Amino acid sequence: MSKTVNKVVSIAIIAAMMLTVLLSTGCVKKPAGTDEYTYRSYATALGSNWNPHTWDTNADNSMLGYVSSPFVDMSILDSEKGIYQWVFEMATAITDVTKDHQDDLTKYKVTLPAGQTTATEGYVFEIALNPNAKWENGTAINADSYMESMLRLLDPDMKNYRANLYLSGESALAGAFNYYYSKDEGFYVPLSGYKTNADAIAAGVTLYLDMHGFWGLGAEGCVDANGKACPQYVPVTDTTKYRDVSVKEGESGDWVSAADLYAAYAAYLEVGAQYSSYILVYKTNENMGFKFDGVGLYKVDDYTIRYVCQTAIGYNYFLTACTDTWLVYVPLYDELKDYSGALVTTKYGTSKETTMSYGTYKMASLQDKKQVVFVQNENWYGWTEEDGKLVSYTNFEVDGQKRQQYKTTKIVIDVLDEAAAKAAFLKGELSEWSPSAEELSTYNLSEQLYKVDETYTMSFFFNTGIDALKEMDKSKGNTNSVVLSNTNFRKAFSLAIDRTEFVTATQSYKPAYALLNSLYYYDIYDDDKNDGVSGPESQYRATDAAMQAICNLYGVEYGAGKAYETLEAAYKSISGYNLTEAKALMKTACDELVAANLYKAGDAITIKIGWAKGALTSDDNKQLELMNKYINAAIEGSGFGKITLEAVGNIQDRYGDVPKGEYAIGYGAWGGAAFYPFRNFQVYMDPDEYTVNETGCYDPTKDTLTLKVDGKDVTMTWQAWSKSMIGTGPYAGLSNSEKLEITAQLEEAFLKTYYRIPLCATTICSMLSYQCSYYTEEYNIMYGFGGLRLMDYTYDDADWAAFVAGQIGENGELDYQ
């Protein structure tokens, strides 16, 4: 949400004037200023593990962020134009030195594109370390600190979870995979080389079922009758019964074996079927005994290391990878190791006593499940002392000048439920608060409300398989859900939805007509040097290719003599709503389904929708009411009987349940990878990398698609297309502007299957206290509003307390409306 600075400044001025009046009349006695600035936040739960090697949840990562610093970060260069800049933190420079270190390509056995024998860029990066960096206890951080930390991250005796960031993907560290698994005799990999599972079994191959992935176990896991945990991979012939402890005794799924599951879902687990990725075979490890000196990270001198990537990566994307950290304080990390289990573990980063900061702040106190307090880390490299206070200024210019940074002296995070958080915020006891969807209407006009778009697009996704739909009609509470197998029916359903009205049921949603929204950029780092487009202007959705794709999808034409003269005008006209066309398509769909003996004209239709992980809210019920209105308006005169859509909540895994045949429709979102949209379609097409929600509709590993590349028709499987522009894919080497042409075609083609119908984009809505202010009111996905780094304060803590005392109303609340 864009807000003008003048409006916010005026609020601050008025607030200050009100305080002056109150002081002059003697109503409130102003205490002496303290120059202490506390940012008070809240969470429903605190992180429990901020070890950079094993952290798991967003809450964990949030805690880690306060006590660590990355090699590089991103901040504002020009807030008016929305231009960002990389700023160095734990590194002072990062340089691509591939050209001068060709021997590293051979030594660390990097993966070159097919037909290529060498490379001059994108593999070897030299990182010059900050010589002033220290741990909170004053110990210097140098090259050895990073080398020893990586040795522990990749330790094959520990199998640290966050090593995955360095084992695969664009920034994979050469040799890391081999070292991480150097003590494993083998791995479980998907079955290949056989036409059927039976052929593999006949050849003597043992098939294993991924029990954890396929069964969708609850957070508490599963055990056998003796309390022994269920392994992840179990032979499909194993009859040992395991119980998912999240399921009540006597309910379906409380006791089951791998053999039971394989027998029940054999057709779905078959080679090429929707769940074939859960059938694996064991492969012997050919790199047993691989040593750490084969890993592509090495020390050049005390303050320089080199990082060798397994596959090529662009410079700016490598910098993005450098915003993560693997650094740990080795003496404490090792002291806290536990060797009693099958894997070595450490309690590092799980309490105040087990935490060593090298970030801007350090942990001052931690009350489990209650509160955590962070204060300034006096040994952080960025502080200087002024009048006995720790002060920091940027080592880069923001809007043409150096700025004070990290003015916040203390951060307090309390564990509060939503009601308590609201009450605390309105009493002046919190710096921020996120209103619920129901409360947004109350504060929608507040100057302190910030709405920020997210990359997530909420959609309906389907299981269109006729056999699965017939089974759901028999046993899952649906009636005539087989209508969803018809493409015209699904297209009509999409066109019947008035998205502009639909989002009014939830204050924080915006209409969506495509899968990728306006936050996606095809060249955010401006890697294409001669295309004349700067990074911040390379919005994917605003390109001709992307706009044309959606105009094609909705059949909107433009040009001389048309309703719209330009492509942009045609694109901006799209609402996704066309009831006239929807009715015509419904008539066609009904005729087709009747002719195929799948539906009897006039019969009622009931379809359950896997709607939410939690209980249904009033917003959910409003959305459902609108959906029923839309679809029944579309079937008028079509021959279809009344349609009833039923939402189901409290579903542990609605994303997995739809392709499994538990629900014909699911409601959920995908998002992320905003700066690299070329990989986005893997979530819909690559079951090797993601659990594809649409595998009840098609097999992306076998079904093919023809697109145009450089003016020529090229045919590949959907999965191959989703991989084509990343890693070692055939089009990975194209410029980003060329890749966007393929991406737009891929988006259009997938949307035209109507396996997924986009509905709305999500936003984050929050209120900010009058005590503090963001650096800029213009949100930018690269740096937000300037973040904690550039946050300013209207009042210090003492003045804020005085202001609150004078402004609390009769209801005991500040006025934020």
Side-chain angles (χ1 to χ4, degrees):
M1 175 182 174
S2 295
K3 299 166 66 177
T4 62
V5 176
N6 289 338
K7 289 185 179 180
V8 174
V9 170
S10 67
I11 291 241
I13 293 173
I14 292 170
M17 290 175 62
M18 291 175 69
L19 177 59
T20 302
V21 171
L22 289 167
L23 292 173
S24 65
T25 58
C27 296
V28 178
K29 182 178 181 180
K30 179 184 177 182
T34 61
D35 288 332
E36 295 293 327
Y37 301 95
T38 301
Y39 193 84
R40 294 175 171 84
S41 186
Y42 71 100
T44 54
L46 297 176
S48 59
N49 169 28
W50 43 98
N51 175 354
H53 295 180
T54 56
W55 69 269
D56 185 29
T57 67
N58 287 336
D60 292 338
N61 195 31
S62 175
M63 302 274 271
L64 176 61
Y66 293 116
V67 297
S68 64
S69 290
F71 286 123
V72 296
D73 198 3
M74 191 168 280
S75 192
I76 301 170
L77 177 62
D78 186 324
S79 61
E80 182 177 346
K81 295 180 179 178
I83 300 176
Y84 63 88
Q85 62 182 316
W86 287 111
V87 296
F88 288 99
E89 294 289 351
M90 293 296 285
T92 58
I94 297 177
T95 310
D96 186 338
V97 296
T98 307
K99 183 178 180 180
D100 298 325
H101 294 279
Q102 294 290 294
D103 55 325
D104 284 341
L105 306 184
T106 303
K107 179 178 179 180
Y108 297 108
K109 300 179 180 178
V110 306
T111 304
L112 295 167
Q116 189 172 321
T117 58
T118 188
T120 58
E121 62 181 5
Y123 284 89
V124 187
F125 296 87
E126 186 165 285
I127 304 173
L129 301 175
N130 187 337
N132 299 316
K134 296 178 181 179
W135 293 99
E136 67 174 88
N137 65 0
T139 301
I141 296 172
N142 54 28
D144 289 329
S145 306
Y146 282 97
M147 294 300 299
E148 291 296 319
S149 295
M150 182 60 78
L151 177 64
R152 283 153 181 78
L153 172 63
L154 299 178
D155 189 342
D157 290 323
M158 299 188 77
K159 290 291 192 297
N160 285 308
Y161 170 59
R162 286 296 162 185
N164 63 352
L165 298 174
Y166 305 90
L167 302 180
S168 61
E170 285 85 7
S171 60
L173 181 61
F177 183 92
N178 291 340
Y179 180 67
Y180 186 82
Y181 289 106
S182 61
K183 294 188 178 181
D184 290 49
E185 294 182 355
F187 321 96
Y188 292 93
V189 297
L191 174 67
S192 62
Y194 296 92
K195 291 184 178 180
T196 66
N197 290 344
D199 289 344
I201 294 171
V205 178
T206 300
L207 303 185
Y208 293 83
L209 178 63
D210 179 354
M211 293 286 281
H212 294 188
F214 181 70
W215 197 1
L217 300 176
E220 300 173 43
C222 68
V223 295
D224 64 15
N226 297 314
K228 185 178 179 180
C230 174
Q232 181 168 1
Y233 306 108
V234 180
V236 297
T237 56
D238 194 304
T239 58
T240 304
K241 299 281 188 178
Y242 296 96
R243 176 174 177 260
D244 182 344
V245 296
S246 68
V247 178
K248 294 180 180 179
E249 289 270 11
E251 291 187 355
S252 175
D254 61 343
W255 288 99
V256 70
S257 69
D260 293 335
L261 290 169
Y262 186 69
Y265 296 97
Y268 300 97
L269 294 166
E270 187 54 81
V271 172
Q274 61 200 65
Y275 291 117
S276 60
S277 60
Y278 291 109
I279 293 295
L280 303 108
V281 296
Y282 184 77
K283 182 180 179 181
T284 302
N285 183 8
E286 298 177 356
N287 291 290
M288 284 282 288
F290 192 91
K291 303 300 183 183
F292 185 72
D293 61 9
V295 175
L297 184 75
Y298 62 95
K299 173 182 174 181
V300 177
D301 57 42
D302 284 347
Y303 285 97
T304 310
I305 58 176
R306 290 199 188 110
Y307 188 115
V308 184
C309 293
Q310 188 67 53
T311 58
I313 184 173
Y315 177 74
N316 285 290
Y317 291 102
F318 183 74
L319 292 188
T320 302
C322 288
T323 59
D324 285 310
T325 181
W326 71 80
L327 188 63
V328 295
Y329 185 60
V330 169
L332 183 59
Y333 186 96
D334 287 350
E335 178 187 330
L336 296 167
K337 281 184 176 178
D338 181 349
Y339 296 87
S340 62
L343 293 173
V344 178
T345 60
T346 179
K347 292 183 179 179
Y348 183 83
T350 57
S351 67
K352 178 184 181 300
E353 294 72 27
T354 61
T355 299
M356 183 68 73
S357 173
Y358 64 98
T360 314
Y361 301 94
K362 64 182 181 180
M363 193 174 290
S365 64
L366 174 64
Q367 300 178 61
D368 187 37
K369 300 180 181 180
K370 290 185 178 180
Q371 183 191 77
V372 62
V373 177
F374 298 95
V375 296
Q376 292 172 310
N377 172 15
E378 62 274 13
N379 278 314
W380 179 60
Y381 51 81
W383 296 125
T384 58
E385 189 171 317
E386 293 183 3
D387 299 326
K389 301 286 185 179
L390 294 176
V391 180
S392 182
Y393 296 90
T394 59
N395 60 0
F396 53 93
E397 291 189 350
V398 178
D399 290 329
Q401 66 184 71
K402 301 288 182 71
R403 304 280 178 174
Q404 184 175 352
Q405 62 179 350
Y406 299 115
K407 192 172 182 179
T408 302
T409 55
K410 182 190 291 186
I411 299 158
V412 179
I413 304 174
D414 288 303
V415 176
L416 302 172
D417 61 26
E418 296 303 321
K422 176 183 178 180
F425 179 77
L426 295 177
K427 290 178 182 178
E429 297 170 358
L430 282 181
S431 303
E432 61 178 341
W433 169 58
S434 297
S436 66
E438 291 85 353
E439 292 165 325
L440 274 176
S441 58
T442 302
Y443 300 96
N444 208 33
L445 298 179
S446 173
E447 292 288 348
Q448 297 305 109
L449 177 66
Y450 291 79
K451 291 183 178 180
V452 176
D453 291 347
E454 292 186 290
T455 60
Y456 293 92
T457 298
M458 298 296 295
S459 307
F460 278 155
F461 54 96
F462 299 93
N463 185 327
T464 66
I466 291 179
D467 291 340
L469 291 168
K470 286 180 177 179
E471 181 57 38
M472 282 185 263
D473 286 340
K474 289 180 182 178
S475 62
K476 303 299 181 182
N478 289 349
T479 305
N480 289 315
S481 65
V482 289
V483 297
L484 293 174
S485 65
N486 186 279
T487 303
N488 283 318
F489 182 93
R490 300 192 305 276
K491 181 178 181 180
F493 188 3
S494 177
L495 292 173
I497 299 169
D498 184 346
R499 291 162 175 81
T500 303
E501 180 186 35
F502 179 71
V503 297
T504 63
T506 303
Q507 292 286 335
S508 57
Y509 285 173
K510 293 184 175 182
Y513 322 112
L515 293 174
L516 304 183
N517 65 18
S518 60
L519 292 184
Y520 285 87
Y521 296 83
Y522 71 89
D523 201 9
I524 190 67
Y525 300 131
D526 201 20
D527 277 353
D528 291 355
K529 303 302 181 185
N530 300 312
D531 67 354
V533 179
S534 64
E537 295 172 352
S538 65
Q539 187 186 97
Y540 166 77
R541 199 73 274 158
T543 66
D544 285 355
M547 289 192 292
Q548 185 67 63
I550 304 308
C551 284
N552 292 345
L553 176 69
Y554 291 101
V556 181
E557 299 179 343
Y558 63 94
K562 306 288 185 181
Y564 306 101
E565 291 187 3
T566 66
L567 171 60
E568 184 177 2
Y571 173 73
K572 289 183 176 180
S573 75
I574 292 171
S575 68
Y577 180 57
N578 189 331
L579 184 58
T580 299
E581 185 179 357
K583 287 184 174 183
L585 286 169
M586 280 295 187
K587 177 66 169 66
T588 300
C590 185
D591 292 344
E592 290 172 345
L593 288 160
V594 170
N597 294 317
L598 291 173
Y599 175 73
K600 181 181 177 182
D603 281 359
I605 300 168
T606 301
I607 304 174
K608 292 182 180 292
I609 302 175
W611 198 279
K613 185 174 183 178
L616 297 180
T617 66
S618 59
D619 280 7
D620 293 328
N621 291 325
K622 291 176 186 176
Q623 292 172 11
L624 181 66
E625 182 180 349
L626 288 171
M627 280 297 168
N628 273 297
K629 181 182 80 169
Y630 300 148
I631 198 166
N632 280 287
I635 64 171
E636 291 178 0
S638 67
F640 284 118
K642 181 182 178 181
I643 298 178
T644 302
L645 303 175
E646 297 181 2
V648 181
N650 293 314
I651 305 172
Q652 183 175 314
D653 181 21
R654 64 190 185 280
Y655 295 101
D657 284 348
V658 171
K660 282 182 182 177
E662 296 294 325
Y663 299 96
I665 307 176
Y667 184 39
W670 277 110
F675 310 147
Y676 208 67
F678 318 122
R679 65 157 55 209
N680 191 277
F681 289 93
Q682 281 189 289
V683 301
Y684 309 111
M685 302 169 191
D686 190 357
D688 291 343
E689 294 294 329
Y690 296 91
T691 301
V692 175
N693 305 153
E694 290 79 18
T695 49
C697 303
Y698 78 137
D699 183 354
T701 68
K702 291 184 177 180
D703 294 356
T704 60
L705 172 68
T706 300
L707 302 178
K708 283 193 178 297
V709 182
D710 196 22
K712 299 178 182 178
D713 286 344
V714 179
T715 301
M716 293 193 289
T717 66
W718 290 82
Q719 181 186 39
W721 278 115
S722 74
K723 293 175 178 284
S724 66
M725 294 171 282
I726 60 177
T728 57
Y731 304 120
L734 294 181
S735 68
N736 287 348
S737 55
E738 290 172 310
K739 289 180 185 178
L740 87 85
E741 298 286 342
I742 299 174
T743 302
Q745 291 181 72
L746 199 53
E747 182 182 28
E748 177 186 343
F750 186 72
L751 284 169
K752 282 183 173 179
T753 66
Y754 296 95
Y755 296 154
R756 179 173 284 258
I757 296 174
L759 301 171
C760 49
T762 62
T763 65
I764 298 174
C765 299
S766 62
M767 300 283 290
L768 188 67
S769 163
Y770 290 129
Q771 183 188 9
C772 44
S773 62
Y774 294 125
Y775 176 81
T776 177
E777 296 293 306
E778 300 296 330
Y779 177 80
N780 186 292
I781 192 171
M782 304 300 280
Y783 50 71
F785 295 104
L788 189 65
R789 179 192 291 272
L790 297 176
M791 178 167 279
D792 201 359
Y793 286 80
T794 308
Y795 309 103
D796 67 13
D797 290 351
D799 288 344
W800 175 244
F803 173 74
V804 170
Q807 292 302 304
I808 288 289
E810 293 182 1
N811 59 357
E813 298 177 350
L814 294 172
D815 183 6
Y816 278 97
Q817 295 184 36

